[in-house]
Coordinates of all heavy atoms in Angstrom, one line a residue:
R71 N 28.1 -19.8 25.5 CA 29.5 -20.0 25.6 C 30.4 -18.7 25.8 O 31.5 -18.8 26.1 CB 30.0 -20.7 24.4 CG 29.3 -22.1 24.1 CD 29.7 -23.1 25.1 NE 31.1 -23.5 25.0 CZ 31.7 -24.4 25.7 NH1 31.0 -25.0 26.7 NH2 33.0 -24.7 25.6
T72 N 29.8 -17.6 25.5 CA 30.7 -16.4 25.5 C 30.1 -15.4 26.5 O 28.9 -15.3 26.7 CB 30.8 -15.7 24.1 OG1 31.7 -14.6 24.2 CG2 29.4 -15.2 23.6
R73 N 31.0 -14.6 27.1 CA 30.6 -13.5 28.0 C 30.8 -12.1 27.3 O 30.4 -11.1 28.0 CB 31.5 -13.6 29.2 CG 31.3 -14.8 30.1 CD 29.9 -14.8 30.7 NE 29.7 -16.0 31.5 CZ 28.6 -16.3 32.2 NH1 27.6 -15.4 32.1 NH2 28.5 -17.4 32.9
H74 N 31.3 -12.1 26.1 CA 31.5 -10.8 25.5 C 30.2 -10.2 25.1 O 29.4 -10.8 24.4 CB 32.4 -11.0 24.2 CG 33.0 -9.7 23.7 ND1 32.3 -8.8 23.0 CD2 34.3 -9.2 23.9 CE1 33.1 -7.8 22.7 NE2 34.3 -8.0 23.2
M75 N 29.9 -9.0 25.5 CA 28.6 -8.4 25.4 C 28.2 -8.2 23.9 O 27.0 -8.4 23.5 CB 28.5 -7.1 26.2 CG 28.7 -7.3 27.7 SD 27.6 -8.5 28.4 CE 26.0 -7.7 28.1
V76 N 29.2 -7.8 23.1 CA 28.8 -7.5 21.7 C 28.4 -8.8 21.0 O 27.4 -8.8 20.3 CB 30.0 -6.9 21.0 CG1 29.8 -6.8 19.5 CG2 30.4 -5.5 21.6
W77 N 29.1 -9.9 21.3 CA 28.7 -11.2 20.7 C 27.4 -11.6 21.2 O 26.6 -12.2 20.5 CB 29.8 -12.2 20.9 CG 31.0 -12.0 20.1 CD1 32.2 -11.6 20.5 CD2 31.1 -12.3 18.7 NE1 33.1 -11.5 19.4 CE2 32.4 -11.9 18.3 CE3 30.2 -12.7 17.7 CZ2 32.9 -12.1 17.0 CZ3 30.7 -12.8 16.4 CH2 32.0 -12.5 16.1
R78 N 27.1 -11.4 22.4 CA 25.8 -11.8 23.0 C 24.6 -11.0 22.4 O 23.6 -11.6 22.1 CB 25.8 -11.6 24.5 CG 26.7 -12.6 25.2 CD 26.9 -12.3 26.7 NE 25.6 -12.5 27.4 CZ 25.3 -13.7 27.9 NH1 26.0 -14.7 27.8 NH2 24.1 -13.8 28.6
Y79 N 24.9 -9.7 22.2 CA 23.8 -8.9 21.5 C 23.6 -9.4 20.0 O 22.5 -9.5 19.5 CB 24.2 -7.4 21.5 CG 23.9 -6.8 22.9 CD1 25.0 -6.1 23.6 CD2 22.7 -6.8 23.4 CE1 24.7 -5.5 24.8 CE2 22.4 -6.2 24.7 CZ 23.5 -5.5 25.3 OH 23.2 -5.0 26.5
C80 N 24.8 -9.7 19.4 CA 24.7 -10.2 18.0 C 23.9 -11.5 18.0 O 23.1 -11.8 17.0 CB 26.1 -10.4 17.4 SG 26.9 -8.8 17.1
A81 N 24.1 -12.4 19.0 CA 23.4 -13.6 19.0 C 21.9 -13.4 19.2 O 21.1 -14.1 18.6 CB 24.0 -14.5 20.2
C82 N 21.6 -12.4 20.0 CA 20.1 -12.1 20.2 C 19.5 -11.6 18.9 O 18.4 -11.9 18.5 CB 19.9 -11.1 21.3 SG 20.4 -11.7 22.9
G83 N 20.3 -10.8 18.1 CA 19.8 -10.3 16.8 C 19.6 -11.5 15.8 O 18.7 -11.5 15.1
A84 N 20.6 -12.5 15.9 CA 20.4 -13.7 15.0 C 19.2 -14.5 15.4 O 18.5 -15.0 14.5 CB 21.7 -14.5 15.1
L85 N 18.9 -14.6 16.7 CA 17.7 -15.3 17.1 C 16.4 -14.6 16.7 O 15.5 -15.2 16.2 CB 17.7 -15.5 18.6 CG 18.8 -16.4 19.2 CD1 18.7 -16.4 20.7 CD2 18.6 -17.9 18.7
A86 N 16.5 -13.3 16.7 CA 15.3 -12.5 16.3 C 15.1 -12.7 14.8 O 14.0 -12.8 14.3 CB 15.5 -11.0 16.6
L87 N 16.2 -12.7 14.0 CA 16.2 -12.9 12.6 C 15.6 -14.3 12.3 O 14.7 -14.4 11.4 CB 17.5 -12.7 11.9 CG 17.6 -13.0 10.4 CD1 16.7 -12.1 9.6 CD2 19.1 -12.9 9.9
S88 N 16.0 -15.3 13.0 CA 15.5 -16.6 12.8 C 13.9 -16.7 13.0 O 13.2 -17.3 12.3 CB 16.2 -17.6 13.6 OG 15.9 -17.4 15.0
W89 N 13.5 -16.0 14.1 CA 12.1 -15.9 14.4 C 11.3 -15.2 13.2 O 10.2 -15.7 12.8 CB 11.9 -15.1 15.7 CG 10.5 -14.8 16.1 CD1 9.9 -13.6 16.2 CD2 9.5 -15.7 16.5 NE1 8.6 -13.7 16.6 CE2 8.3 -15.0 16.8 CE3 9.5 -17.1 16.7 CZ2 7.2 -15.6 17.3 CZ3 8.3 -17.7 17.1 CH2 7.2 -16.9 17.4
A90 N 11.9 -14.1 12.7 CA 11.3 -13.5 11.6 C 11.2 -14.3 10.3 O 10.2 -14.4 9.6 CB 12.0 -12.1 11.3
L91 N 12.3 -15.1 10.0 CA 12.4 -15.9 8.9 C 11.3 -17.0 9.0 O 10.7 -17.4 8.0 CB 13.8 -16.5 8.7 CG 14.9 -15.5 8.4 CD1 16.2 -16.2 8.2 CD2 14.6 -14.7 7.1
V92 N 11.2 -17.6 10.2 CA 10.1 -18.6 10.4 C 8.8 -18.1 10.0 O 7.9 -18.8 9.4 CB 10.2 -19.2 11.8 CG1 9.0 -20.1 12.1 CG2 11.5 -20.0 12.0

Side-chain angles (χ1 to χ4, degrees):
R71 302 290 294 181
T72 184
R73 296 291 181 181
H74 197 283
M75 297 306 296
V76 174
W77 285 108
R78 291 172 67 85
Y79 283 124
C80 290
C82 293
L85 292 175
L87 176 59
S88 65
W89 174 246
L91 294 179
V92 168

